[in-house]
Amino acid sequence: MKKFVNDPKQYVPEMLKGIALANPDTLKYVPAYNLIMRSDSPSPDRVSIIQGSGSGHEPAHVMTVGRGMLDAACPGDVFSAPPMDYVYETTKLLASPKGVLLLVNNYTGDRMAFEMAQELSAADGVNVKTLFIDDDVAVQDSTYTVGRRGVAGNFFVMKAVGAAAEQGADLDELVRIGEKVDSVTRTMGIALTSCTPPAKGSPLFEIGDDEIEVGVGIHGEPGRRRAKLTTADEMTDELLDAVVNDLPYVAGDRVALMINGLGGTPISELYILYGHAHERLTELGITVGRSYVGEYCTSLDMAGASLTLVRLDDEIEALLEAPAEIAARIF
Amino acid sequence: MKKFVNDPKQYVPEMLKGIALANPDTLKYVPAYNLIMRSDSPSPDRVSIIQGSGSGHEPAHVMTVGRGMLDAACPGDVFSAPPMDYVYETTKLLASPKGVLLLVNNYTGDRMAFEMAQELSAADGVNVKTLFIDDDVAVQDSTYTVGRRGVAGNFFVMKAVGAAAEQGADLDELVRIGEKVDSVTRTMGIALTSCTPPAKGSPLFEIGDDEIEVGVGIHGEPGRRRAKLTTADEMTDELLDAVVNDLPYVAGDRVALMINGLGGTPISELYILYGHAHERLTELGITVGRSYVGEYCTSLDMAGASLTLVRLDDEIEALLEAPAEIAARIF
């Protein structure tokens, strides 16, 4: 294992400490519950938005906390759901009179932790609702999931509800917006390599030098098929066809197109995928209105990429355009 | 080789096409000279800033074109200097009555191309100056360099002169600012793995499963020593000590701290390095005023990282804070 790591058990806490040190004016790290939160949350004027998940998907979600996005992220260890009591304590800590929205990618372990935390917080009098994200079209049911998995498309749900919360929307309105964005968002990914969790120290799954996993999950779950490595264009076509035909997206639609790197793929390659996907969509009569190329939801050091489409309307596009400030940034 | 690639010869042009398609309102791709430029450049009110280099270092420099940064980037093939005539044509295309500033990382091939292009453009009546960046403290002279290499610290030079140009500074003023930023910027990197150029199809150099290259160059050039893989903290200490002692940075200084990923290292690991470096600087009485964690200047899919410090003063900090809009972004 060739990684920058000290004690694998301290991988997540050390990362969280780094995030807080790099953002001293805006973020706080609370070691007791392993959470990153906005320094100015909870606000009486704003619903608090919390997302949790296993770690290893950064920048999701500990680096997407900040104005116009999450109020807090509540990470578990690498590829493990956060402990229920940490989610509960985070919910109490962030409780706003306007309420709390919990965002959860659809994995059984995460659902359990968040559903129990919601129940306990509600019993304490917190106005809390939960929204599940399930944008991955690759498979129905999976190693850790009943139904579809939540993957990189969660970025658009976070961004939209985060912008609406900042503008003062109430909890029911945020649930409406989040469900709407999830309902028009679809993703599929391809892995070129496996990934290595720090505590395991060896690759999570085996894959041949000439093989790819089409429809891979972000924890290395199997996808639709194991295939032979082929050209960038052919791999893009397979992702795009699966995503387009699922909703389906049709001629006349205006979409956001995201090419998300899974952690080990350089951004130069992501732009090659992006260019071909953009041209194919244009041929289909689908207009790319907004573009996202980079790392949004990764799988440690996995080489690979996912393609996400979001069908835009004026409401969604305005929320995606709204300003936001998070740890994951260039400047 | 497991990459998203079609024809390796089209790797750079296909990437550039993708960048332009993702930024239709702000950027143009000019295939004839393999360049990415701002759609609104040249402007009579602004010195044009051009940076060229080999490709494979993205987001540098083709994804750092835009308002407040570069007017154009003029890339060569992967790890190859841009052809002199392309630099010359780019300079002519971007010629503003206020002049043209060429930014060049200090590699012999790049220097040759840019110095000849400057000479030819000047003969055509273009007011053009060139600024060399040489922030890498690892070694004096190297495989492709006389003197020190230019690496991730070039981001700060681009950002500062880009902001000043946007505010209307003249060419001499930009040269003064760029030289000043370069003079207070120092970087060193560590490679955990090699990298694979698409046209070569195999790793650029050999490195053992338990080895690291301390002071590696961004084209895989040897650094100070081949060492055994150790902890994240020990590797951070080695980078930090080399950088701090070079300028030197001393108690009372205020700095920008950048942890730059070399392409294959997940951002979670970069924050582990960042946290330790920040704490060590605090112990030394050096204040971290601005933080940069992510990919700025990469080496294809190399696992590794570099650490950069910039000594801040009010002028530099204001230029680093100024707004900018480039392809490399989250939103």
Side-chain angles (χ1 to χ4, degrees):
Chain A
M1 176 176 63
K2 298 193 93 172
K3 287 183 182 294
F4 293 109
V5 59
N6 296 301
D7 175 1
K9 287 195 197 67
Q10 298 304 313
Y11 191 83
V12 174
E14 288 181 0
M15 167 181 69
L16 300 183
K17 185 183 73 179
I19 294 170
L21 285 170
N23 298 276
D25 299 331
T26 52
L27 299 181
K28 270 198 311 204
Y29 165 40
V30 182
Y33 310 120
N34 217 32
L35 71 90
I36 290 282
M37 59 182 284
R38 283 174 65 167
S39 309
D40 62 351
S41 292
S43 159
D45 303 324
R46 196 175 67 232
V47 175
S48 288
I49 303 173
I50 300 169
Q51 178 140 12
S53 68
S55 293
H57 307 302
E58 293 73 24
H61 304 281
V62 290
M63 298 166 196
T64 57
V65 178
R67 191 171 64 85
M69 293 278 280
L70 302 179
D71 290 84
C74 180
D77 211 337
V78 171
F79 294 174
S80 300
M84 187 282 290
D85 52 328
Y86 283 20
V87 182
Y88 173 47
E89 295 295 343
T90 304
T91 305
K92 285 199 293 188
L93 201 59
L94 275 293
S96 148
K98 291 200 71 166
V100 175
L101 178 64
L102 303 177
L103 299 181
V104 190
N105 286 355
N106 186 40
Y107 299 96
T108 305
D110 295 282
R111 286 190 77 121
M112 279 179 58
F114 277 82
E115 282 170 347
M116 288 174 67
Q118 172 174 352
E119 209 166 296
L120 291 174
S121 318
D124 290 343
V126 182
N127 180 20
V128 54
K129 299 203 171 179
T130 304
L131 202 149
F132 299 103
I133 299 154
D134 58 350
D135 55 310
D136 188 345
V137 307
V139 290
Q140 188 70 21
D141 303 339
S142 190
T143 319
Y144 311 115
T145 318
V146 176
R148 286 181 163 186
R149 301 176 297 221
V151 289
N154 77 77
F155 175 84
F156 296 101
V157 177
M158 278 191 284
K159 180 69 188 69
V161 297
E166 204 70 41
Q167 293 160 11
D170 68 22
L171 185 53
D172 288 337
E173 176 71 350
L174 294 188
V175 170
R176 180 191 68 77
I177 289 169
E179 286 177 346
K180 174 177 158 181
V181 173
D182 187 55
S183 75
V184 295
T185 300
R186 295 290 187 276
T187 300
M188 197 163 93
I190 283 185
L192 305 189
T193 70
S194 185
C195 59
T196 297
K200 183 169 190 288
S202 60
L204 198 59
F205 61 93
E206 294 300 317
I207 186 163
D209 281 348
D210 61 346
E211 286 182 328
I212 59 175
E213 180 69 29
V214 178
V216 71
I218 56 173
H219 313 91
E221 304 98 308
R224 292 186 173 184
R225 64 190 188 101
R226 186 62 63 100
K228 292 291 175 197
L229 182 66
T230 176
T231 64
D233 286 355
E234 284 175 359
M235 291 188 273
T236 307
D237 286 341
E238 179 149 8
L239 293 180
L240 193 72
D241 290 342
V243 167
V244 165
N245 294 327
D246 190 87
L247 190 61
Y249 301 85
V250 297
D253 280 352
R254 182 175 166 88
V255 298
L257 167 60
M258 172 187 278
I259 301 292
N260 167 61
L262 292 178
T265 286
I267 194 166
S268 47
E269 296 177 39
L270 301 181
Y271 271 100
I272 293 175
L273 304 183
Y274 175 87
H276 185 66
H278 185 115
E279 290 187 330
R280 280 285 320 281
L281 287 166
T282 304
E283 284 165 22
L284 295 170
I286 297 170
T287 302
V288 179
R290 296 187 64 80
S291 302
Y292 299 80
V293 186
E295 292 181 349
Y296 291 85
C297 187
T298 61
S299 187
L300 293 167
D301 53 351
M302 182 183 285
S306 64
L307 183 152
T308 300
L309 293 180
V310 185
R311 191 170 61 207
L312 299 173
D313 61 17
D314 290 348
E315 180 183 44
I316 295 176
E317 196 155 359
L319 293 168
L320 295 183
E321 275 174 13
E325 282 174 23
I326 58 175
R329 62 170 185 271
I330 291 288
F331 299 110
Chain B
M1 174 176 64
K2 298 192 93 173
K3 286 184 182 296
F4 292 108
V5 58
N6 296 302
D7 174 2
K9 287 195 197 70
Q10 297 305 314
Y11 191 83
V12 174
E14 288 181 359
M15 166 180 71
L16 301 183
K17 186 183 72 179
I19 294 169
L21 285 170
N23 298 276
D25 299 332
T26 53
L27 300 181
K28 271 199 307 204
Y29 166 40
V30 183
Y33 310 121
N34 215 32
L35 70 90
I36 290 283
M37 60 182 284
R38 284 175 65 167
S39 309
D40 62 351
S41 292
S43 159
D45 304 323
R46 196 174 68 230
V47 174
S48 289
I49 303 173
I50 301 168
Q51 179 140 11
S53 68
S55 293
H57 307 303
E58 293 71 25
H61 303 281
V62 289
M63 299 166 196
T64 57
V65 177
R67 191 171 64 85
M69 292 279 281
L70 302 179
D71 290 83
C74 180
D77 211 337
V78 171
F79 293 176
S80 299
M84 187 281 289
D85 52 328
Y86 284 19
V87 182
Y88 173 47
E89 296 295 343
T90 303
T91 306
K92 285 198 294 187
L93 200 59
L94 274 295
S96 148
K98 291 199 72 168
V100 175
L101 178 63
L102 302 177
L103 299 180
V104 190
N105 285 355
N106 185 40
Y107 299 96
T108 305
D110 295 282
R111 286 190 78 121
M112 279 180 57
F114 277 81
E115 283 171 346
M116 288 175 65
Q118 171 174 353
E119 210 166 294
L120 291 175
S121 318
D124 290 343
V126 182
N127 180 20
V128 54
K129 299 203 171 179
T130 304
L131 203 149
F132 299 102
I133 299 155
D134 58 349
D135 55 309
D136 189 346
V137 307
V139 290
Q140 189 70 23
D141 303 339
S142 190
T143 319
Y144 312 113
T145 317
V146 176
R148 285 181 164 185
R149 301 176 296 221
V151 289
N154 77 79
F155 176 84
F156 296 101
V157 177
M158 277 191 284
K159 180 69 188 70
V161 298
E166 204 70 42
Q167 294 161 11
D170 68 21
L171 186 54
D172 287 337
E173 177 71 352
L174 293 188
V175 170
R176 180 191 67 77
I177 290 169
E179 285 177 346
K180 175 177 158 182
V181 174
D182 186 56
S183 76
V184 295
T185 300
R186 295 289 188 277
T187 300
M188 197 162 93
I190 282 185
L192 306 190
T193 70
S194 186
C195 59
T196 297
K200 184 169 189 288
S202 60
L204 198 58
F205 60 92
E206 293 301 317
I207 185 164
D209 281 347
D210 60 346
E211 286 183 328
I212 59 175
E213 180 69 29
V214 178
V216 71
I218 55 172
H219 314 91
E221 304 98 308
R224 291 186 173 184
R225 65 189 188 100
R226 186 62 62 101
K228 291 292 175 196
L229 181 67
T230 176
T231 65
D233 286 355
E234 284 175 358
M235 290 188 273
T236 308
D237 286 341
E238 179 149 8
L239 293 180
L240 193 72
D241 290 343
V243 167
V244 164
N245 294 328
D246 190 87
L247 189 61
Y249 301 86
V250 297
D253 281 352
R254 181 175 167 88
V255 297
L257 167 60
M258 171 187 279
I259 301 292
N260 167 61
L262 292 178
T265 286
I267 194 166
S268 47
E269 296 177 38
L270 301 181
Y271 271 100
I272 293 175
L273 305 183
Y274 176 87
H276 186 66
H278 185 115
E279 290 187 329
R280 279 285 319 282
L281 287 166
T282 304
E283 284 165 22
L284 294 170
I286 297 171
T287 301
V288 178
R290 295 187 65 80
S291 303
Y292 299 80
V293 186
E295 292 182 349
Y296 291 86
C297 187
T298 61
S299 187
L300 292 167
D301 53 351
M302 182 184 284
S306 65
L307 182 152
T308 300
L309 293 180
V310 186
R311 190 169 63 207
L312 299 173
D313 62 16
D314 291 347
E315 179 183 46
I316 294 176
E317 196 156 358
L319 293 169
L320 296 183
E321 275 175 11
E325 282 173 24
I326 58 176
R329 62 170 185 270
I330 291 287
F331 301 110

